[in-house]
Amino acid sequence: MTQSSHFETQVIHAGDNPDQQYGCLSTPLYQTSTFVFETAEQGGRRFAGEEPGYIYTRLGNPTTRQLEQRLAVLENMDDAAATATGMGAVAATLMANLQCGDHIIAANAVYGCTYSLLTEQFGRYGIETTLVDMSDHHAIERALQPNTKVIFLETPVNPNLDVFDLAWIGKFSRANNLVSVVDNTFLTPYLQRPKDFDIDIVIHSATKYLNGHGDVIAGIICGSFEQIENIKLTTLKDMGATISPHDAWLILRGIKTLAIRMDRHCDNAQKLAEYLAQDSRVAKVFYPGLPDHPAHHFIGTQMKAAGGVVAFEIEGDYAQSLAFINQLSLFKIAVSLGDAESLIQHPASMTHSPYTPEARAKAGISDNLIRISVGLEHCDDLIADLDQALSKAT
Ligand code: LCS
């Protein structure tokens, strides 16, 4: 494993290449469901944990293992577990840390399926959730109950780019013996490392920037040796949201360019946000890179830059928002984010449609909110496309 502390080197070299025989530059793809034991006794020893070695790909795989080791290094955590989807990472992490009768504090704006997991699925299993505005620290304190076990948030938030104070949340969580879980999908470890603020577990939808090429659905969980072992041996093993080795291989390929891709995403997003902010056809822009964003002061302290997602409200209603989106030609109308292609979507009717209208209003997700995942194209082309669509729609 690489000893370098430079992210740009770690993202290419961290983790053990499992090839011991041929000197492959690229990590070999171990596309196998199971592993053959030399003897029956050896199989038994592996199951008992008395001998290292692989058993069955749901429990571990050499290609997947390199991805896990790489992410552990990048997030500066002990270890990591790769999962089939980002939601698999969220669910496996929370279910390994919660049981019937427990309580979780979560931010009132999170990805739509995380919201429905917390409010619909967990309720059926006797796990109670309080959603709070995490920029209001008194509200977090008031939400604390004797049975609170976990605090969960995204920062910046999907879809409205709210940013929360990780140092305060890490301290609050430690003081109250909670497990803190941060979904770091929007920034990646290149731009933000929650571990620096005493956050216990970091998860990602690896579908997004980590892979970066729009051809994989996957997730990853980073944490202490104890946490990762617990998640792997319980909710991952028995519920089975294990990544395919082929998807792990694609992410290992995509992640090598993470740093340079994120730099371009950030540059393009900043220029787009500045363009939108000065346009009278746009009511409001949500991007922490703009000086008037309430969390702008976190840039350079908590986060290295503001990332590649920009949200904004056009001067218009629900119908005009959709009409604007339909006028674009270069932007693809699609959910997801973090790809080379610029993507645009309407949270109220798409990613955050699991929310009730009241919960959406409380979370600051309006009917005319539009979210862009700014891609890697030339920024002038993106701005020209936005400009012509705004002219036609407003
Ligand atoms: N966490 C965040 C912050 C996300 O944005 C998503 C997916 C997930 C977790 C779940 O990851 P998945 O299972 O899809 O890999 N976000 C999506 C979005 O904004 N549009 O489509 C998916």
Side-chain angles (χ1 to χ4, degrees), residues 135 161-163 284-288 290-298:
S135 56
L161 282 299
D162 276 353
V163 173
K284 194 161 180 198
V285 182
F286 304 85
Y287 186 66
L290 294 176
D292 61 352
H293 189 279
H296 185 65
H297 62 280
F298 283 118

Side-chain angles (χ1 to χ4, degrees), residues 173-189:
S173 178
R174 287 275 155 100
N176 293 287
N177 288 320
L178 308 182
V179 175
S180 51
V181 183
V182 167
D183 183 331
N184 202 23
T185 298
F186 267 39
L187 289 187
T188 81

